Amino acid sequence: MHNNPLPLSMRERDLQLFLDSLGVSLPCVDTAILDDYIVIHLEVFAAALFEANDNKAVLLAYRIQGRVFPLLIVFLRGSEEIHFCHSTLLLASYVQGNRMANLLRKVTDTFFSNDMNKMLEILEPSWMNTPLFGQLDCRIFWDTKPEIKIVTDLFLARLGKVCRIPLFPSVFYYNNVYDQNLLEAALSELDECRDVLVLGTGAGLEAVCVALKYGIHVDAIDINPVAIANTIAACRRTGTEHLVHAWVSDGWTEVTKTYDAILFEAPLATNTVDAQDPNRYDFGGKLLRKVLHGLSSHLKAGGRMYLMSRPDLTPFLPAHGLQWEVLRYFETEDGLAIHKIWLE
Ligand SMILES: C[S@@+](CC[C@H](N)C(=O)[O-])C[C@H]1O[C@@H](n2cnc3c(N)ncnc32)[C@H](O)[C@@H]1O
């Protein structure tokens, strides 16, 4: 949405972040072109984030008076049971006013009034005649709010309210028991810290909490560019964008600094081949091993990592250089722990 001269609403700006992170740039304003639907193919990496079949996903947009508005992201997912998946990008209102919102809703309804095969043909001809099992709504969750008590207490104390933090498709749901235990164990221990890193930031909740509680600079990284967009959106919603710097990094690859504290709610090491979701699983514990083997280069003297993972870290730790203790165990079907790890 680089084609909009008006100041954008909060949600329009979030939507722009989301689309930018997928590498989508909408065509520029061109009033000479008539109003019509536009289909834009997403890049392979973006389709892969949605686990789209054949790495194919498209953005359906509509041009009104030369300006292009995104309507939907659509892709197919599944092997035996193939689903037609769509993420609606429509907003309740646009800075151009309600007329625009109504118009966009209408053209979206008109698109959905086609029979399924016609829709598939318009979106991606190679999808025609695909036997579909059903539809999946993979939308942005605009109204989600933090529910973890340590977080809601902090929000109320610092902001006077618990504000909404949107959750973009492909990003890990932030109201989870792993995050709760990590924050309960680590947040109160960061008193003396000046430089904190959140590894695998997801939607950005931990970064926001550290920034809100201590008013210090926080770096936040994730392999998923949509998680980085989500973290920036979370910071904008909480007034912490001047404190948090977020960027894409696969483990340590794009990290050069050293830190007083590093928080990492790790995907769980597993040997199950079909556990492919990078939010949840770390096949063979490769990421955990790499992170722990590189950790000593990223900790200051006295620095430590707070890690949510399985209770036994021995298979993943380097032979020398690090010490660790379990701060707490907590019960899930896997049996998990919060570890504190520091330089020997
Ligand atoms: C369990 S989620 C935690 C998300 C977030 N911290 C939260 O509490 O909601 C794990 C995160 O690690 C990220 N991740 C997975 N592999 C990664 C890698 N190689 N480098 C950096 N981040 C990675 C995922 O994208 C995901 O956001």
Side-chain angles (χ1 to χ4, degrees), residues 3-6 27-38 62-69 96 99-100 103-104 107:
N3 52 4
N4 198 330
L6 291 172
C28 295
V29 179
D30 185 346
T31 43
I33 305 181
L34 294 179
D35 294 1
D36 204 355
Y37 295 96
I38 297 173
Y62 195 79
R63 193 189 298 270
I64 299 176
Q65 292 161 6
R67 181 169 297 139
V68 176
F69 291 86
Q96 289 83 4
R99 208 187 130 260
M100 187 60 72
L103 232 155
L104 291 169
V107 295

Side-chain angles (χ1 to χ4, degrees), residues 141-147 163-167 173-175:
F141 291 96
W142 290 109
D143 293 327
T144 310
K145 284 182 174 184
E147 289 168 8
C163 47
R164 294 185 171 86
I165 295 185
L167 188 74
Y173 177 56
Y174 52 76
N175 287 316

